[in-house]
Amino acid sequence: MTVTETRRQLPGAPELTHREILEILIGLLAALFTAMLSSTIVSNALPTIIADLEGTQTQYTWVLTASLLATTVSTPIWGKLADLVSKKLLVQIAISVFVIGSALAGLSQNVPFLIGARVLQGLAMGGLMALAQAIIGAAIPPRSRGRYSGYMGAVMAVATVSGPLIGGVIVDTSWLGWRWCFYVCVPLAVVSLVILQKYLHLPVLKREVRIDYLGAVLISIAASLPLLWVTFAGSHFAWMSWQSALFVGGTLLVGFLAVLVESRAVEPLVPLKVVRERTTALAIIASLSVGVAMFGSALFLGQYFQIARGYSPTEAGLLTIPMMLGSFFGSAGSGQLITRYGKWKRYLVAGGILLLVGLLILGTIDHTTPYWYVGLGMLAMGLGMGMTMQNLVLAVQNTVDVTQIGASSATVAFFRSLGGAVGVSALGAVLAARVKDLIVAGLLAGPNGAEAARKLQEGGSGGTSLLDVGHLPPQLAELVRQAYGDATGRIFLIAAACAVVSLIAVLFIKEVPLRRTVAKVDDVEDLADRAVHD
């Protein structure tokens, strides 16, 4: 047997034709589209959902945060399993769990039940995000992967574009209602199951399955504690308090224990050897910041347009198109250019700069800002997100062998989701606190202000949620609109500070030429030589 023949038969290095790759991608991206749609379709419908279920601003944030938290803690587990067992079986399980979670979310009668259903959706989304990256990494060499990663980013952008629009139309259609925002995701998920069953046939690496259960528990706790802290701090207890100290201290302690366990585990969920690589470490830092900017700020745009500017859910979806188009062209365009020329760092740097510029522009908006200015900021932010998100994963995958594709891809996705979850929770807390301060200040300036402000601080608004602006007294409704509009800019300024960290990280990433093989060359030659000698 020759080296070439052995290389073609290596279980970790399948050589697929363009058509075979596209057949896999159709089913894979259909599932990913469905998962992304479930996030973005909620962003515009959520004000209506929370108002109908009589929820609060904190619950509004947690409907978003719950799925992100579940996505975050489950991503490394899915990623590690992808290196040990059948990727096809795993992606089918993830899609099935997503269908169940979506159906339950549509049946929700109160916010806590909805949050629980969103947790199920998040668990499935963690699998789909990790497995999509792992399957692409196992099937396509890095030199050609930029093109297909661009397709993935483009599909995610299309889902982000269509999600708010579909959600807005569904909410504004009386004979449908917001529950169909969840039901509509089910048919496409079933279609993706059928396609993947027919076309996805990757070799399975024969390895003993050893799940790092202790590491999974510790990583989940370490990821959850900061989310709980930023959610309750400022409302249930002061930011500078013994409760805050317990949360921060607990996070550091559990994080240290997680590192200790992962360093000794036979099959660690997060391989420290991979994390210590310069490219991976910097990509993780950048992904954290991109996650904060992407999830933490973008998900509140629908709320800004509906509550602060008075647009309908459908109109709010249309108004966010500049950001989505920017993400589409940034991802697809950079992917094509990377495949053609083999250079990737320049697009990461350009994306980091555009992301920062967009967030700085949006950091200056208030309830009177003209739309063209808001649209300019969204366009720049979208281009930045599209050029950085997938290419950070590509940079990391280029440094590891195919046997670690799942864990390495999941590690980057894990920290991006963690940044997003912390971002949504923290920025939601900042927004809620700032809105309340502005409303109280506005009430104090009016007649009987002291009494009205006291009632508001005690939680009273005539039995109506402040998010349900249409049913508030006219004077209070106008005050709420102004408060939300003026408070939103602060969220983007905080996200801009995170984008600075991301830009610095990508500047220090060393560009390594993209290899043309799925497996690392040294590992391929080693296995081939062994097979030839045998």
Side-chain angles (χ1 to χ4, degrees):
M1 181 181 294
T2 66
V3 172
T4 301
E5 290 171 338
T6 303
R7 184 176 286 146
R8 290 183 61 85
Q9 293 182 22
L10 288 177
E15 295 183 8
L16 304 178
T17 65
H18 177 63
R19 178 177 177 177
E20 289 172 331
I21 292 172
L22 287 181
E23 288 171 344
I24 294 173
L25 278 181
I26 290 172
L28 198 61
L29 295 183
L32 190 61
F33 178 88
T34 306
M36 293 299 298
L37 187 69
S38 72
S39 294
T40 57
I41 204 172
V42 169
S43 60
N44 271 355
L46 203 50
T48 302
I49 295 172
I50 295 298
D52 185 50
L53 297 180
E54 299 181 353
T56 65
Q57 174 65 44
T58 299
Q59 290 177 323
Y60 180 104
T61 302
W62 265 102
V63 171
L64 301 173
T65 304
S67 62
L68 283 175
L69 175 58
T71 300
T72 300
V73 300
S74 66
T75 296
I77 299 174
W78 288 106
K80 189 60 188 180
L81 286 173
D83 289 336
L84 301 175
V85 297
S86 169
K87 295 177 178 64
K88 179 176 181 176
L89 175 62
L90 290 174
V91 77
Q92 289 174 326
I93 292 174
I95 294 171
S96 300
V97 172
F98 178 80
V99 169
I100 294 171
S102 298
L104 291 176
L107 296 171
S108 300
Q109 299 299 317
N110 53 62
V111 178
F113 187 91
L114 175 60
I115 291 174
R118 292 284 290 169
V119 169
L120 273 182
Q121 284 187 308
L123 291 173
M125 286 171 62
L128 292 172
M129 293 293 290
L131 293 167
Q133 300 283 7
I135 291 171
I136 287 179
I140 309 168
R143 185 66 171 81
S144 304
R145 202 174 296 158
R147 174 186 185 182
Y148 299 103
S149 294
Y151 293 159
M152 178 181 290
V155 165
M156 294 172 70
V158 170
T160 311
V161 170
S162 57
L165 291 176
I166 294 173
V169 170
I170 289 174
V171 169
D172 288 340
T173 303
S174 58
W175 53 273
L176 286 176
W178 61 263
R179 298 182 187 280
W180 278 94
C181 291
F182 301 104
Y183 296 148
V184 76
C185 298
V186 174
L188 187 57
V190 174
V191 169
S192 69
L193 267 178
V194 175
I195 295 174
L196 289 173
Q197 174 62 31
K198 182 176 181 180
Y199 293 112
L200 181 57
H201 302 291
L202 288 179
V204 179
L205 299 176
K206 300 298 183 180
R207 298 171 62 187
E208 183 181 353
V209 179
R210 295 183 179 180
I211 303 300
D212 180 17
Y213 294 105
L214 181 57
V217 172
L218 291 174
I219 290 172
S220 299
I221 295 174
S224 302
L225 284 177
L227 290 174
L228 296 172
W229 173 47
V230 297
T231 299
F232 296 122
S235 57
H236 292 74
F237 52 83
W239 286 97
M240 300 297 293
S241 63
W242 64 268
Q243 291 96 331
S244 291
L246 283 178
F247 273 105
V248 175
T251 301
L252 295 175
L253 175 61
V254 178
F256 172 77
L257 292 175
V259 172
L260 190 63
V261 169
E262 293 299 275
S263 66
R264 299 180 178 180
V266 177
E267 292 284 357
L269 287 180
V270 180
L272 298 184
K273 179 182 177 181
V274 174
V275 173
R276 283 195 293 265
E277 290 277 348
R278 174 179 172 178
T279 298
T280 306
L282 290 172
I284 285 172
I285 295 173
S287 294
L288 272 168
S289 305
V290 169
V292 172
M294 180 172 63
F295 294 107
S297 58
L299 286 175
F300 289 103
L301 280 171
Q303 190 175 19
Y304 168 77
F305 283 120
Q306 290 182 64
I307 296 179
R309 307 308 294 265
Y311 292 105
S312 69
T314 302
E315 292 169 334
L318 290 169
L319 292 172
T320 56
I321 281 180
M323 183 182 70
M324 313 315 173
L325 288 179
S327 181
F328 177 89
F329 288 112
S331 179
S334 64
Q336 292 286 345
L337 291 171
I338 288 171
T339 296
R340 177 175 296 181
Y341 299 109
K343 301 292 185 180
W344 50 267
K345 181 176 178 179
R346 62 188 64 175
Y347 304 107
L348 281 179
V349 174
I353 293 173
L354 285 168
L355 180 63
L356 176 59
V357 169
L359 290 169
L360 287 174
I361 291 174
L362 293 174
T364 62
I365 65 174
D366 57 27
H367 71 284
T368 62
T369 303
Y371 175 71
W372 69 264
Y373 185 82
V374 180
L376 180 64
M378 289 191 293
L379 177 63
M381 184 173 72
L383 285 168
M385 290 190 298
M387 296 173 73
T388 55
M389 186 168 60
Q390 296 301 320
N391 293 331
L392 284 170
V393 178
L394 173 64
V396 172
Q397 288 181 339
N398 189 50
T399 65
V400 301
D401 184 50
V402 68
T403 58
Q404 295 179 318
I405 281 288
S408 62
S409 302
T411 298
V412 178
F414 167 75
F415 284 102
R416 184 176 65 228
S417 297
L418 178 61
V422 172
V424 168
S425 189
L427 296 181
V430 170
L431 178 66
R434 181 60 176 165
V435 165
K436 190 171 184 179
D437 289 343
L438 291 174
I439 293 175
V440 168
L443 290 173
L444 289 173
N448 300 319
E451 179 65 19
R454 183 184 63 80
K455 288 183 178 180
L456 179 66
Q457 290 177 321
E458 292 175 354
S461 57
T464 304
S465 169
L466 289 178
L467 296 176
D468 192 7
V469 181
H471 292 86
L472 291 175
Q475 185 177 0
L476 180 58
E478 182 60 28
L479 189 56
V480 169
R481 291 189 190 281
Q482 292 182 14
Y484 269 94
D486 296 344
T488 300
R490 180 170 294 189
I491 288 178
F492 292 105
L493 284 179
I494 296 173
C498 297
V500 172
V501 177
S502 178
L503 178 58
I504 293 173
V506 299
L507 285 172
F508 283 96
I509 290 179
K510 182 180 178 180
E511 183 159 26
V512 178
L514 297 175
R515 64 176 188 266
R516 296 180 181 273
T517 59
V518 174
K520 293 179 74 173
V521 174
D522 292 342
D523 296 331
V524 172
E525 296 291 352
D526 181 59
L527 289 172
D529 288 341
R530 266 190 263 167
V532 171
H533 285 90
D534 291 343

